[in-house]
Amino acid sequence: MKRTAFVALAALALTSSAQLIPFFTDRKQPAAPGARTPDRLNQKPMAGNQLNNPGIQLPPSNTDNDNPSSGPPTGDVILSDVLGTQPSIQIFAGFTLDIPSVSSRLNNGNQNTTVLAPLNRAITSLPRKPWEDAREYAALGAEAYSGSEGEDRAQRNLRRFAEAHIVPVSPWKEGEKVQSLGGGTVWWEKRDGKTLVMPGSVEVEGVVSRVANGEVWVVKEVVNYT
Ligand SMILES: *[C@@H]1O[C@H](CO)[C@@H](O)[C@H](O)[C@H]1NC(C)=O
């Protein structure tokens, strides 16, 4: 997992100041002409992503249609363009590049997706790395993730982690039960002013991107992936 570790470390070096847009924006409200989110447009995907994935596209810097609060997106900015631009979710964004089932989905303009992107600190505070499994440590010992079989194991676990955070629907309506790419059933509801992804009551901090093929929701904890 050298690449993943590199991405994670690179991400940790960045500050985590997410720019959140309100969870519920009035999509019928037209944006002021020329309205945009200048800070977000100026952010570049981190160097690590580009090293790992030289084909990654930079978000266009001269369009209005990636302003997430300006109504239904009409442009061709897609999830794979924007996921790497939020420092507070860089670790998860890096993982998605390593998992072909996820990266190809985010890169597909014809399939909508709601990405539940955990904050960096939600991932770094897990008792184990997302690609580590206590059962495998118990069975195989400290070498569980060494060598090529170990790498395969880690890759499989990371895939399970990433896919649990990919909801293959957008817009995603309140209460709508959907199977994540990982196979678990998830839905969301409002409670005490909070938006919670169920069944784990994972709080949504906000929506950071709304683009042609879906939305990026930042979540404060990881979604159950075991
Ligand atoms: C996909 O997302 C776009 C943009 O939000 C929306 O207009 C469209 O209806 C969605 N398509 C489906 C099949 O949900």
Side-chain angles (χ1 to χ4, degrees), residues 50-224:
Q50 286 169 282
L51 286 176
N52 288 339
N53 189 351
I56 193 169
Q57 295 179 318
L58 293 176
S61 56
N62 59 347
T63 63
D64 286 339
N65 40 19
D66 59 347
N67 178 345
S69 56
S70 65
T74 53
D76 46 19
V77 177
I78 58 173
L79 290 166
S80 52
D81 297 324
V82 296
L83 195 60
T85 63
Q86 285 295 332
S88 68
I89 56 170
Q90 287 282 12
I91 298 178
F92 183 78
F95 291 165
T96 66
L97 297 177
D98 273 340
I99 307 299
S101 60
V102 173
S103 58
S104 65
R105 175 143 198 131
L106 303 185
N107 211 14
N108 184 337
N110 298 318
Q111 287 184 316
N112 286 2
T113 302
T114 301
V115 180
L116 303 175
L119 288 169
N120 295 333
R121 66 167 174 271
I123 295 176
T124 55
S125 63
L126 290 171
R128 276 173 295 282
K129 301 287 185 283
W131 58 87
E132 297 173 336
D133 184 326
R135 291 161 297 191
E136 289 170 342
Y137 273 130
L140 301 161
E143 302 297 300
Y145 302 106
S146 308
S148 67
E149 282 183 25
E151 292 240 346
D152 289 348
R153 233 171 260 127
Q155 183 74 12
R156 206 159 48 234
N157 294 341
L158 189 62
R159 176 177 174 173
R160 189 169 57 207
F161 177 84
E163 288 183 346
H165 293 84
I166 303 297
V167 180
V169 159
S170 180
W172 186 19
K173 295 189 205 70
E174 180 168 10
E176 184 186 356
K177 293 192 174 178
V178 186
Q179 268 199 343
S180 74
L181 221 53
T185 298
V186 287
W187 68 97
W188 65 270
E189 54 194 47
K190 300 278 283 179
R191 201 189 301 153
D192 301 330
K194 292 177 177 170
T195 300
L196 303 174
V197 175
M198 305 302 290
S201 297
V202 173
E203 188 179 348
V204 178
E205 185 174 277
V207 179
V208 287
S209 298
R210 188 168 282 142
V211 293
N213 66 343
E215 300 184 343
V216 179
W217 296 14
V218 171
V219 289
K220 293 185 174 181
E221 307 293 335
V222 307
V223 172
N224 181 29

